[in-house]
Amino acid sequence: MIDWLAFLVVLVAALIGAAVVVSTYALGLRLLTVSGRTPIVTPAEFTDAITIVSPAEAKAAAKRAAKAAKKSPLTERQKRAALAGAWACFVVSGLAVIYGIYLIVPALHK
């Protein structure tokens, strides 16, 4: 017989865990951008692959990010605090993922 209450507990725990990981990572990206360090990913060249962003578009995006960073109304202290907050969010997100793996893999419990 299926224990539906246990199934419901696992479902709720998975949803909350996923929300925590995604939310902390998203907040970390937002704080990273606010601190003036916008993450820009340059397109990779692969054989027989479609390049989604051209090098010219990537250069324009980098230029816009640099311009936006110069216009930031935050003081240097606030930018450093936002950067520290971003890294804290990334650490929390990573630790949540590692803890989830720890709970799933039984060999780590011994």
Side-chain angles (χ1 to χ4, degrees):
M1 181 160 204
I2 298 174
D3 184 3
W4 289 104
L5 184 60
F7 180 77
L8 183 63
V9 168
V10 170
L11 174 70
V12 170
L15 289 175
I16 290 172
V20 166
V21 170
V22 170
S23 298
T24 55
Y25 189 80
L27 180 61
L29 282 177
R30 178 68 179 146
L31 289 173
L32 193 66
T33 302
V34 166
S35 72
R37 298 175 187 249
T38 305
I40 298 173
V41 180
T42 57
E45 296 293 329
F46 298 104
T47 307
D48 297 332
I50 298 172
T51 303
I52 303 297
V53 179
S54 70
E57 291 172 332
K59 185 177 178 182
K63 187 176 180 180
R64 283 192 307 271
K67 186 176 179 181
K70 288 180 184 178
K71 288 184 177 181
S72 176
L74 301 179
T75 64
E76 286 302 316
R77 185 174 181 191
Q78 290 172 328
K79 287 180 183 180
R80 284 194 306 269
L83 183 61
W87 281 107
C89 287
F90 294 144
V91 167
V92 168
S93 182
L95 288 176
V97 169
I98 290 170
Y99 183 67
I101 292 170
Y102 170 76
L103 291 176
I104 292 171
V105 179
L108 296 177
H109 292 275
K110 294 180 182 181

